[in-house]
Amino acid sequence: MRFVRVVLELLRIIFIFAILVTVLGGIPYGIYSSIGINTDKYGWTAILGVFILIFVLYRNKLQFSGWYIGKGREKLPKGVSKTLLIFAITLLLCPPILHYLFS
């Protein structure tokens, strides 16, 4: 029974990340493309920022509503969450800065 819960939670994580990366990753690409920034060259920083945002969201909120009930279910420390969020926002802002610096 425990194995089934772990597998279901892993599938849930995969679906959450896939859906949120598709939705949240499309927003920066749409904005950057509309202002003429080369997303093929610098877009990877925005996607990395989106992944970090989703990771923080999962660890602080979404993991408590899943099937897995076991060890290791705790929120990230506030300092770590703030640091990761600042880093993610910086990565989301990097493509325009890099585009204008290296163009």
Side-chain angles (χ1 to χ4, degrees), residues 19-40:
I19 290 168
L20 289 179
V21 165
T22 302
V23 172
L24 295 178
I27 295 169
Y29 272 95
I31 293 170
Y32 297 152
S33 296
S34 69
I35 58 176
I37 293 173
N38 185 358
T39 55
D40 293 335

Side-chain angles (χ1 to χ4, degrees), residues 50-79:
V50 168
F51 270 111
I52 293 171
L53 286 175
I54 295 169
F55 172 74
V56 172
L57 176 68
Y58 180 80
R59 283 295 306 265
N60 289 340
K61 298 284 182 199
L62 299 176
Q63 76 173 334
F64 302 109
S65 62
W67 287 290
Y68 180 70
I69 301 170
K71 297 180 197 175
R73 286 180 36 146
E74 56 188 47
K75 288 184 176 184
L76 291 171
K78 288 187 181 198

